[in-house]
Amino acid sequence: LLVVVVILAIIAATAVLSIGTLGNDEEIEREARRLVALLQLGVEEALFQGRDLGLYVEEGSYSFYAFSPDSQLWSPLSGDTTFRQRDIPEGVYVSLFVEQQPVSLEPEDDPQDIVPQVAFFSSGELLPFELVLEREFADLRYIITGEADGSIE
């Protein structure tokens, strides 16, 4: 009887450890839903404000930028709490494809060199993209797509 109890305890401990390692599936779903909502809002804001906005994704985080026609530079929307920089939850990996081409997510050394990989134009259009959120050791994957007409799913 004691051997059975020990075996059950080991199995239970292994299950708990694997759940903690993989993370919470609700966490990745919540992040995917948040990102879709922010992207849709970004398209709308670009259209209503009449200025180009962009999404910059790097390993572990993403942020939104606005294009300044005067300086010809992209600047972060850091003063806006909605479009602030957000960290991607630990254990969630992101890959980005723009116009069906893979994009490097290595961070830029100089903040002045940052150019968003995805642009939301003031016309309501955007660069077609596919953003994939997934966990390393799970079959869970969320694919967010943006079409040229400004639609995001």
Side-chain angles (χ1 to χ4, degrees), residues 1-10:
L1 181 63
L2 185 60
V3 172
V4 172
V5 171
V6 169
I7 291 173
L8 289 175
I10 291 172

Side-chain angles (χ1 to χ4, degrees), residues 24-29 132-142:
N24 186 352
D25 290 348
E26 292 175 5
E27 182 180 45
I28 190 171
E29 180 180 1
V132 181
L133 301 172
E134 60 189 328
R135 289 214 183 267
E136 186 173 16
F137 298 111
D139 291 334
L140 187 60
R141 171 185 281 199
Y142 287 91

